[in-house]
Amino acid sequence: MKQKEVIKYGIKVPPKPKIDGDKKYERLYFTQDFIPVKAVKDGVIETIDNRYIKILEIEPINFLLRSEEEQNDVILAFAKFLKVSPVTIQIKCMSRRADSEKHIRLVQKDLESENVNECKAVSGSYLNMVKRVGALSAWTRRFFLIFQYEGLRR
């Protein structure tokens, strides 16, 4: 008897192991069994349904700290990209609480080797501010552009 093919979330689920008399055959499952990726070549992902996907990580900039001319240049560059970009595009933002402990340890190390009392006072108040702000609102963000090859547009 042939087992029924099961598809969950668009992914083919491997069949359950068969039991043959007293013997049980345990099927090992790997991550690759559940991810619909056929190959990754030159940074391009080929899926099992023959689509080609590219994921680009974009470095964030603090737009509001740029001059007006630089802000206009960023907007124009993004508009130019949108003109030549694929029709279907995803913008993904991943936000996480930042770990400010590494920075705090570095500042504390510098503070211990500081000889000037005025600098120690400034560094101490900076350290307190980093601890206070870092505990409440420090976030890291990563931005990704995800698009798939769609052939030539006419």
Side-chain angles (χ1 to χ4, degrees):
M1 186 168 101
K2 190 174 181 181
Q3 286 188 336
K4 182 180 169 186
E5 185 176 276
V6 179
I7 298 178
K8 287 186 180 180
Y9 308 109
I11 300 170
K12 184 179 173 183
V13 177
K16 292 182 180 178
K18 294 181 180 179
I19 299 174
D20 185 24
D22 294 340
K23 298 179 185 177
K24 288 186 180 181
Y25 295 98
E26 184 177 329
R27 165 91 160 82
L28 296 176
Y29 293 103
F30 299 99
T31 304
Q32 292 89 335
D33 294 332
F34 298 100
I35 298 177
V37 173
K38 187 187 297 183
V40 178
K41 186 175 181 183
D42 298 326
V44 177
I45 301 167
E46 182 181 1
T47 63
I48 58 175
D49 59 351
N50 295 321
R51 292 180 298 138
Y52 295 92
I53 298 172
K54 180 72 175 177
I55 302 173
L56 299 174
E57 183 169 3
I58 307 301
E59 284 290 321
I61 61 168
N62 195 331
F63 186 76
L64 297 176
L65 292 181
R66 305 287 176 172
S67 68
E68 185 177 342
E69 184 178 337
E70 289 175 319
Q71 287 179 358
N72 287 333
D73 290 343
V74 168
I75 293 169
L76 288 174
F78 188 64
K80 286 180 183 177
F81 167 75
L82 290 176
K83 284 183 179 180
V84 297
S85 72
V87 175
T88 305
I89 190 167
Q90 294 180 37
I91 300 174
K92 173 80 174 163
C93 175
M94 293 175 52
S95 299
R96 286 192 180 142
R97 281 206 176 273
D99 182 18
S100 55
E101 290 300 316
K102 183 178 178 182
H103 181 64
I104 289 171
R105 284 193 301 273
L106 185 67
V107 172
Q108 285 173 335
K109 182 180 175 187
D110 289 343
L111 187 59
E112 290 170 3
S113 64
E114 184 59 56
N115 296 327
V116 181
N117 288 335
E118 290 83 7
C119 289
K120 281 186 175 183
V122 170
S123 295
S125 67
Y126 171 73
L127 191 60
N128 290 333
M129 186 269 304
V130 168
K131 287 178 181 177
R132 204 174 49 252
V133 171
L136 299 175
S137 61
W139 290 86
T140 60
R141 289 180 180 83
R142 295 177 70 190
F143 300 92
F144 299 92
L145 285 179
I146 305 160
F147 52 92
Q148 75 180 28
Y149 175 72
E150 297 172 339
L152 298 174
R153 288 187 260 174
R154 294 194 168 132

